Amino acid sequence: MKTQSRIKAKTGRLLAAFVISAALGGAAQAQTDSTPPSAAQSLSCLRLPSAALSYPAKHRFDRSHGLMRLRLHFEKPDAAPRVEVLANTAREDMQDRVYRYVDDYRLPCLRPEDGTVSAVQEFNFSNSAMEELPVPETPQRRLPFCLVMPREDMRAPMSLSQQVQHVVASALFSGTGDQPPEVKILHSTGDRRIEEAVIERVQSYRLPCRTGQQEPQVMRQQFTFVPAGHRRFVLKQDAFSLVDFLSMTQGAQQLKAFFDFDTMNCPFKVNYTMYSPALPNEVAVGGKRDPNRIPFLRWLRERQLAFSSERQANELFGQKVQIQVPCGRLDLQPDTAAAGS
């Protein structure tokens, strides 16, 4: 994620960016544009841990993403900042690393006349080879999405099933930031206890930045439960060229299509999430909406991977891959896997 920042620290696929808060305490609140900030207020003396943060990968195919946005309040020069969570979608082990990391922050040049110095820092965890797509432009201003999940990871209820179980739930936020969302199950291969646990979990989510005057906001989340000791199908990579992706789809030898990508502001990348046949697949392209791409994206969304078994289809449900669309033309004829120029 690209952010404007005063300080950046990047390690692997983890990005941490600082933005100085506009709400500074004590004497800082009385500053005018002509009064330069002190060393503490500009964070110029901020001391960070010597060891950089790293992704807490459980295994090499762990593709989880997580975000934590914190407001840090520095009140003493020799003490750790007080932490306020503004947004959180990170796993518990990711949160543990962030809390330990910021606990070592110090602002030694902080003086009593500086009051409380506050700053906002965002941590993004990703262990994926996919590039993050820019947020699409929309005709209306996007509502702030400040989702805060519980501190602890969800504990799956006991189940006798030896299969991977999926539950897809939607949450509708229509009230104020302290009110729970309305939760619905959109798709489930789990038993009743798992569905109830998912509903209870999502009902604990909050959007603290809501005032109750905004339009309702909806989010969707997939929960996957894997039996202990189960060896699950996984994709060894999550980024493919368009031709490589199409070669893995059903009826690849019989595809018939023609697309001129030179008319679509090429090259570009598409995030494809496999939900069919239970739910429609999803495709997403970042940046400004280009109507020239709509026919191709609709066609791409209809493509389904050629799974080797029902078990493989179930275990890869909800997996996301990134498809790299080049310039040139794609001209597919029956009995031809892929031909292009």
Side-chain angles (χ1 to χ4, degrees):
M1 180 178 293
K2 296 180 180 179
T3 58
Q4 293 183 348
S5 59
R6 297 293 185 91
I7 302 174
K8 285 186 178 180
K10 190 173 183 180
T11 304
R13 296 288 293 175
L14 174 88
L15 175 65
F18 272 105
V19 180
I20 296 179
S21 171
L24 299 177
Q29 292 181 345
Q31 284 189 337
T32 65
D33 293 340
S34 61
T35 305
S38 67
Q41 292 162 355
S42 63
L43 301 182
S44 61
C45 67
L46 179 65
R47 292 182 183 175
L48 303 177
S50 57
L53 271 171
S54 60
Y55 183 91
K58 297 179 179 179
H59 53 77
R60 57 180 294 212
F61 299 123
D62 178 7
R63 305 295 190 213
S64 298
H65 294 255
L67 175 145
M68 283 197 77
R69 186 179 302 122
L70 306 179
R71 180 178 286 129
L72 307 174
H73 303 281
F74 294 90
E75 299 167 331
K76 297 180 180 179
D78 57 350
R82 177 169 52 86
V83 177
E84 177 186 356
V85 178
L86 301 179
N88 170 47
T89 62
R91 287 191 326 229
E92 189 172 352
D93 56 348
M94 297 176 182
Q95 297 178 59
D96 290 341
R97 294 197 174 205
V98 169
Y99 280 119
R100 288 196 297 266
Y101 188 73
V102 300
D103 192 57
D104 287 335
Y105 285 9
R106 296 294 184 273
L107 199 61
C109 60
L110 183 67
R111 302 170 302 178
E113 55 266 32
D114 292 322
T116 297
V117 173
S118 299
V120 173
Q121 185 172 21
E122 186 171 290
F123 296 87
N124 283 284
F125 290 88
S126 176
N127 194 36
S128 170
M130 295 190 297
E131 295 183 14
E132 186 165 345
L133 299 181
V135 176
E137 293 184 358
T138 55
Q140 298 179 345
R141 182 179 65 85
R142 291 174 60 88
L143 293 175
F145 194 73
C146 54
L147 182 67
V148 175
M149 296 181 176
R151 173 74 177 88
E152 300 79 13
D153 287 342
M154 181 178 177
R155 311 304 179 195
M158 293 292 296
S159 175
L160 299 177
S161 175
Q162 296 302 309
Q163 304 296 322
V164 174
Q165 300 180 76
H166 304 283
V167 178
V168 180
S170 69
L172 173 66
F173 295 88
S174 58
T176 58
D178 59 349
Q179 292 179 318
E182 178 184 341
V183 182
K184 293 182 179 180
I185 300 296
L186 303 179
H187 169 72
S188 175
T189 59
D191 57 35
R192 181 179 56 84
R193 289 199 299 174
I194 284 182
E195 292 179 0
E196 291 175 349
V198 166
I199 292 175
E200 182 180 1
R201 171 75 175 186
V202 179
Q203 286 178 335
S204 68
Y205 293 178
R206 296 293 184 271
L207 285 181
C209 56
R210 284 190 61 87
T211 63
Q213 303 301 315
Q214 305 99 324
E215 297 177 1
Q217 293 171 268
V218 180
M219 63 159 287
R220 186 167 86 170
Q221 185 177 8
Q222 175 186 335
F223 294 82
T224 296
F225 303 90
V226 182
H230 183 87
R231 297 189 64 181
R232 182 185 175 189
F233 282 103
V234 294
L235 294 172
K236 293 185 178 181
Q237 64 186 81
D238 54 7
F240 298 88
S241 70
L242 176 60
V243 172
D244 286 343
F245 172 79
L246 292 177
S247 69
M248 300 187 300
T249 60
Q250 290 182 0
Q253 301 296 328
Q254 302 301 317
L255 289 177
K256 183 177 182 179
F258 179 85
F259 295 103
D260 186 351
F261 299 127
D262 291 334
T263 66
M264 303 181 192
N265 193 23
C266 63
F268 57 95
K269 294 180 173 64
V270 180
N271 285 351
Y272 168 98
T273 306
M274 54 191 82
Y275 287 125
S276 64
L279 295 171
N281 296 318
E282 287 187 355
V283 293
V285 181
K288 185 177 181 180
R289 183 176 183 271
D290 189 339
N292 295 296
R293 297 172 178 169
I294 292 177
F296 168 69
L297 294 176
R298 287 176 176 171
W299 178 83
L300 188 63
R301 184 178 58 190
E302 295 171 354
R303 307 278 66 81
Q304 183 171 326
L305 293 190
F307 300 114
S308 61
S309 64
E310 290 185 5
R311 175 191 165 190
Q312 186 185 58
N314 176 59
E315 296 188 3
L316 292 180
F317 176 85
Q319 296 293 300
K320 181 186 293 184
V321 298
Q322 190 164 84
I323 303 168
Q324 301 161 350
V325 181
C327 290
R329 290 174 291 179
L330 182 73
D331 188 358
L332 299 178
Q333 301 297 330
D335 300 322
T336 300
S341 63

